[in-house]
Amino acid sequence: MNSKYNPQEFAALLQLAIGNTMKKEFASKIDVSPEYLSRILNSKLANPPSIGKIQSIAQNASNGVTYAQLLSAAGYAAQDETDPYHAVIASLSENVKKFMQGTILTALSVSGIPCTLEQEKKDTDYHLSVSFPSGAISHWHFIFLSNATEELMKKDFHALYLQLAFEKISDTEKISFVTSSKEEFDLYASKIPENLSLNLSVILIDEKNLTIEKECWIKSTPSLSSKDISIYTL
């Protein structure tokens, strides 16, 4: 639990941000379920929304509610709201999401590992998730990166790891960052989050041929064997 998160303060800011908009409409705008929005407004979340969701709230806010105010109430480190990094993930076009999704799903199909495409969950920032009926990995989540400038890549990198630090992720889940930029791939592959115990990898996509160029495991939990890692690699 984030001890700096103030659920009451965040709920009050969110109510101001919603303004005269219907709650169901606002939930749709920020891509969460009405039930999830209600839980925030009633101060019933043990942990704050992700940075990506807070960014969405700020983008749609009424009454002058700012990104910096929301971050502070959520217990995240204060950021300059004029800093462009917070729009990086949300800036992915639908075409980019579709080609990345298609490439990953094709590679999974070719791998021969039986899996099920999970229904998109509006209270997470995963762009794609699949589940497995058996094996060492139960769920594999994919986060598509934005192929931004070098400066924004680094800020996006830190924001994503801060977000993951506050999420409850089991030893049987795997998270993969997906990019078509070699520079972005190299950034994630070279900087290891020593204090996070997660199954993490970064995947480089060949944008021209819509194929997986390579995947690099960043970290793995002790419960995974080298054979398991080999099986769940594209």
Side-chain angles (χ1 to χ4, degrees):
M1 181 175 177
N2 182 351
S3 60
K4 295 182 179 180
Y5 171 43
N6 187 324
Q8 291 75 29
E9 181 183 354
F10 193 90
L13 283 170
L14 178 57
Q15 188 67 63
L16 277 173
I18 293 172
N20 294 325
T21 306
M22 297 292 291
K23 291 182 176 63
K24 187 175 181 180
E25 180 184 349
F26 193 85
S28 177
K29 283 184 176 182
I30 65 172
D31 200 25
V32 301
S33 66
E35 292 77 16
Y36 182 77
L37 184 69
S38 178
R39 289 177 64 201
I40 303 175
L41 290 169
N42 291 313
S43 307
K44 291 185 177 180
L45 286 186
N47 288 304
S50 68
I51 287 178
K53 294 306 174 192
I54 292 173
Q55 174 264 320
S56 294
I57 293 170
Q59 284 186 330
N60 292 280
S62 300
N63 298 312
V65 174
T66 68
Y67 180 63
Q69 289 173 321
L70 291 162
L71 277 182
S72 177
Y76 295 119
Q79 304 275 347
D80 180 357
E81 66 178 313
T82 62
D83 194 341
Y85 97 90
H86 68 270
V88 171
I89 298 175
S91 69
L92 284 170
S93 71
E94 287 304 313
N95 283 340
V96 170
K97 291 178 185 177
K98 286 178 181 178
F99 100 70
M100 285 189 168
Q101 266 193 348
T103 303
I104 294 295
L105 291 174
T106 299
L108 285 167
S109 176
V110 171
S111 73
I113 311 173
C115 64
T116 301
L117 179 64
E118 292 189 0
Q119 185 174 358
E120 184 178 353
K121 296 177 180 177
K122 294 183 178 296
D123 55 349
T124 74
D125 286 316
Y126 302 135
H127 294 105
L128 174 68
S129 292
V130 298
S131 58
F132 303 93
S134 61
I137 297 293
S138 60
H139 298 82
W140 193 345
H141 309 293
F142 300 86
I143 298 173
F144 303 153
L145 304 179
S146 60
N147 308 344
T149 64
E150 182 178 358
E151 181 182 0
L152 291 181
M153 282 181 195
K154 290 178 180 178
K155 290 178 178 178
D156 193 19
F157 171 88
H158 291 297
L160 280 172
Y161 276 125
L162 177 61
Q163 176 182 321
L164 290 176
F166 286 107
E167 289 190 12
K168 186 176 181 180
I169 303 168
S170 75
D171 287 352
T172 63
E173 292 180 272
K174 178 184 176 183
I175 296 173
S176 292
F177 303 115
V178 183
T179 181
S180 58
S181 162
K182 186 177 185 304
E183 291 75 19
E184 200 161 33
F185 177 90
D186 290 342
L187 170 66
Y188 282 78
S190 63
K191 293 187 177 293
I192 311 301
E194 299 296 343
N195 294 325
L196 286 179
S197 179
L198 299 171
N199 296 309
L200 283 172
S201 79
V202 58
I203 296 171
L204 180 62
I205 284 181
D206 183 333
E207 188 173 6
K208 185 176 181 180
N209 297 310
L210 301 183
T211 56
I212 305 293
E213 191 169 330
K214 56 183 171 179
E215 178 179 6
C216 172
W217 277 73
I218 301 169
K219 292 200 75 174
S220 62
T221 56
S223 62
L224 286 192
S225 67
S226 56
K227 183 179 179 181
D228 293 329
I229 291 173
S230 176
I231 290 173
Y232 296 96
T233 300
L234 296 178

